[in-house]
Amino acid sequence: KFVFPIYFYIMRYLLFIKDTKKAIQHYKWLDKHKKNLNYQELYLLHYYHAICLLIQNKYRQANEVLEELVSASRDGMSVSADVYYHLALAKCHMEQHGHAIFYANEALNAFTAQYNIKRIMHTLVILGISYTDTGIYEVAAECYKHLKRNAEILNESATLSIAYHNIGYLKQKKGELSEARDYYYKAVNCEAENAQSSMVSLYALAETSYYLGEWEQAKEYLHHLKKKAQETGS
């Protein structure tokens, strides 16, 4: 007899370290044995499957799985804050910002009740982007204000870099290019762990510098970006 909870813990760990290949292998094995799983274990199986899909940028497929989990909850099982959060994330990537805001607020309320500061920050990113893309700039700015403050308090450099980048994006959407460039510059110079995120900020910095007529700076940033892309094989 298999002790299934152990396999769920292993899969959770693999997803945490972003070992997608092994996580998918674990999912396939568990899926073959799903007739032996109880209702809660099946719920977890589908949830972890959705995270696997999100990691692979398969947002529409992840959205379908997560929506089914939310629908199933109406039959008596409550939806976890993490399911709402990941559904909001999928909706945000699909640019369904109204839905993203709804589910992100559901997640935010639950995370706030749990005092889960890190997840609160992650949810504020989704809300900030969604409010920016729907033109609700004042609310977006308020989200980033809280995000930036919490990232500074916790000394979360990666999250602070994301905050700076998205404030830059907000400023760019409002046509405030000089301020946008300054925030992208802060994002690039923040010690971020994610090289891909850093390169996105560097591209945005080069782009805003170009539109501001700062040709030499833009050229320098693009050369630096090309070098980083080659080094990381991106």
Side-chain angles (χ1 to χ4, degrees), residues 109-218:
N109 290 334
F111 290 139
T112 302
Q114 297 164 8
Y115 300 101
N116 190 336
I117 305 299
K118 285 200 174 184
R119 270 291 190 235
I120 288 170
M121 291 195 294
H122 296 161
T123 309
L124 285 171
V125 173
I126 296 174
L127 284 169
I129 292 169
S130 297
Y131 281 126
T132 298
D133 283 342
T134 50
I136 310 173
Y137 299 138
E138 286 185 14
V139 182
E142 195 64 24
C143 290
Y144 292 137
K145 178 184 172 183
H146 292 302
L147 175 65
K148 181 173 168 289
R149 184 184 63 203
N150 287 331
E152 287 170 342
I153 290 169
L154 295 177
N155 197 26
E156 287 271 348
S157 58
T159 306
L160 190 57
S161 177
I162 291 168
Y164 285 144
H165 177 92
N166 285 304
I167 294 169
Y169 176 63
L170 171 61
K171 297 288 185 183
Q172 189 173 354
K173 287 277 283 186
K174 292 171 70 178
E176 299 167 0
L177 290 184
S178 294
E179 290 183 56
R181 176 206 55 207
D182 293 343
Y183 275 105
Y184 288 139
Y185 184 82
K186 286 182 180 181
V188 168
N189 285 280
C190 217
E191 291 181 17
E193 299 166 7
N194 191 326
Q196 189 71 30
S197 175
S198 176
M199 285 190 286
V200 170
S201 295
L202 189 54
Y203 176 84
L205 177 58
E207 184 181 48
T208 47
S209 297
Y210 173 82
Y211 286 128
L212 286 164
E214 298 166 354
W215 319 117
E216 289 304 315
Q217 282 286 358

Side-chain angles (χ1 to χ4, degrees), residues 3 8 31 36 52 59 70 80-82 93 97-98 102 104-105 123 150 154-155 162 165 172 175 182 193 208 220:
V3 184
F8 283 106
D31 192 52
N36 298 313
C52 283
Y59 301 115
V70 171
S80 73
D82 283 310
H93 279 290
H97 294 299
F102 174 79
N105 275 314
T123 309
N150 287 331
L154 295 177
N155 197 26
I162 291 168
H165 177 92
Q172 189 173 354
D182 293 343
E193 299 166 7
T208 47
E220 184 183 326

Side-chain angles (χ1 to χ4, degrees), residues 52-135:
C52 283
L53 292 168
L54 286 170
I55 291 171
Q56 297 173 85
N57 302 324
K58 296 178 179 178
Y59 301 115
R60 292 192 180 279
Q61 289 168 263
N63 175 71
E64 287 175 13
V65 175
L66 291 164
E67 280 191 335
E68 283 178 14
L69 287 178
V70 171
S71 296
S73 71
R74 298 190 185 108
D75 299 328
M77 190 168 181
S78 61
V79 180
S80 73
D82 283 310
V83 168
Y84 282 133
Y85 165 75
H86 284 104
L87 182 52
L89 182 63
K91 296 287 187 187
C92 186
H93 279 290
M94 292 163 62
E95 297 186 358
Q96 295 180 6
H97 294 299
H99 290 100
I101 290 167
F102 174 79
Y103 289 116
N105 275 314
E106 291 287 317
L108 186 63
N109 290 334
F111 290 139
T112 302
Q114 297 164 8
Y115 300 101
N116 190 336
I117 305 299
K118 285 200 174 184
R119 270 291 190 235
I120 288 170
M121 291 195 294
H122 296 161
T123 309
L124 285 171
V125 173
I126 296 174
L127 284 169
I129 292 169
S130 297
Y131 281 126
T132 298
D133 283 342
T134 50

